[in-house]
Amino acid sequence: MLSSIWVISALLATTMAAPTQTYSSQSAEPLTETEALSSYFEALVSKVQAAKGSGQGPSCDLGSAVLPVASPTALPPPSAGLTLKHVAIGRGTQNYTCGTDGTAAPTAVGAMATLYNASCVAAAYPDVLAMLPRVALQFNLTGTNQATLSPSNLQISGHHFFANLTTPFFNLDTATMNLGTAPSAKNNTVPAPADAPVGQYGVGFGAVPWLKLLTIDGATGNLEEIYRVNTAGGSPPKTCAGMPSAFEVQYSAEYWFFQGS
Ligand SMILES: *[C@@H]1O[C@H](CO)[C@@H](O)[C@H](O)[C@H]1NC(C)=O
Ligand SMILES: *[C@@H]1O[C@H](CO)[C@@H](O)[C@H](O)[C@H]1NC(C)=O
Ligand SMILES: *[C@@H]1O[C@H](CO)[C@@H](O)[C@H](O)[C@H]1NC(C)=O
Ligand SMILES: *[C@@H]1O[C@H](CO)[C@@H](O)[C@H](O)[C@H]1NC(C)=O
Ligand SMILES: *[C@@H]1O[C@H](CO)[C@@H](O)[C@H](O)[C@H]1NC(C)=O
């Protein structure tokens, strides 16, 4: 039986040490990110108080979770008959390469992210969920197997990487959860909303597009469709001018996994 307090304690960090030194020295919009963090914690505090007051547990039922819709252009909805299996926050990097032509656009060469189980947050506290990529972007992982997502205590639920240049791959099999593995292919993409976080500490080249991916042969766990939404950061500069031959851009996003029957 899951209580509200349980979900909130999963969101609150054991240590709330934020990388404050960077806000004043690097940020073009220092207040934006500091305000994002404080509204996140304020939202959590109000949830804790509401939960204590009601004495009732929240719904952890994924059937009540609603996939965010991009504006002004929406992605196609999940195919009929699919059900939501898992919601994760991904935190990692988008990787790019550049040649010698400084006027050329960087080439996307994949991504690497660690996924954290946010299913109950999606079901019970969608407003808090929507803040998580923006907040998580400000905290670097110590490694790809970091057990919890700072500054929350959401638990690791898998890894995202590229099997090859055109195949995003999701491995949702961990020591505690076996939700499946999925090579996938892009089905649709729309730009992130104009107010999406542009990068770490408010500095960067924009949020990567929202995506709809379809799983391809070899997927397990009935995984069929995967959405990347509420993206934060991850986009490269427009051109390769001054960029190294290979570089990474920090990002975070929500990933929604839909399964067939
Ligand atoms: C996080 O990682 C990025 C990329 O390596 C780096 O630029 C930034 O300074 C790091 N932030 C902190 C607080 O360590
Ligand atoms: C992206 O960068 C990470 C960190 O350097 C690296 O481990 C990973 O292999 C790179 N992924 C791709 C697809 O190039
Ligand atoms: C995610 O975490 C919640 C809370 O612990 C749990 O109820 C749920 O079963 C976990 N797994 C998935 C697949 O979402
Ligand atoms: C990329 O990986 C996927 C999944 O393993 C595979 O189906 C596909 O054939 C590979 N493509 C190339 C060009 O190697
Ligand atoms: C996207 O998926 C729909 C339905 O599954 C399909 O009709 C369409 O051809 C796909 N488009 C691409 C670009 O894969």
Side-chain angles (χ1 to χ4, degrees), residues 163-167 169 183-184 216-217:
N164 54 45
L165 279 180
T166 52
T167 310
F169 195 95
S184 64
I216 60 175
D217 275 0

Side-chain angles (χ1 to χ4, degrees), residues 1-13 43-60 120-121 124-125 153-154:
M1 180 67 188
L2 193 95
S3 74
S4 296
I5 301 299
W6 191 96
V7 175
I8 296 303
S9 60
L11 284 165
L12 286 165
L44 290 181
V45 167
S46 72
K47 302 294 178 201
V48 170
Q49 283 164 351
K52 278 181 180 157
S54 77
Q56 207 179 4
S59 164
C60 201
C120 288
V121 189
Y125 304 121
N153 280 348
L154 296 180

